Amino acid sequence: QQRAELFNLADDIGEHHDLAPKQRELTGRMLAKLSARLRAVNAPRPRDHHSGEPVPWPGQSKVVGALPD
């Protein structure tokens, strides 16, 4: 299971305050944009250490803190 995180780096450079649980809509939109861009440039995906399968694209599987597809 992936976990989405969202930080306001202008105010929280140390990434201590995850905004994803409170900003679910924004987190979902940003995940969709990231996924679309990675697919558009045919970005390589890392592989799961146990199964050897490519990890899901952002937003492809259930992501904590994001809206469902």
Side-chain angles (χ1 to χ4, degrees):
Q1 178 174 332
Q2 296 176 328
R3 176 172 167 72
E5 297 177 324
L6 179 66
F7 300 96
N8 180 343
L9 297 179
D11 296 332
D12 182 20
I13 194 68
E15 298 181 358
H16 297 290
H17 304 289
D18 184 6
L19 302 173
K22 292 183 179 179
Q23 298 286 331
R24 295 181 67 211
E25 185 178 332
L26 176 60
T27 302
R29 287 194 320 260
M30 292 181 78
L31 281 171
K33 286 183 177 186
L34 174 60
S35 183
R37 179 64 181 155
L38 291 173
R39 291 171 194 243
V41 298
N42 198 26
R45 292 185 285 169
R47 297 197 172 266
D48 181 89
H49 295 288
H50 299 290
S51 70
E53 294 295 318
V55 298
W57 293 106
Q60 183 178 353
S61 65
K62 180 168 176 49
V63 177
V64 175
L67 294 174
D69 292 335

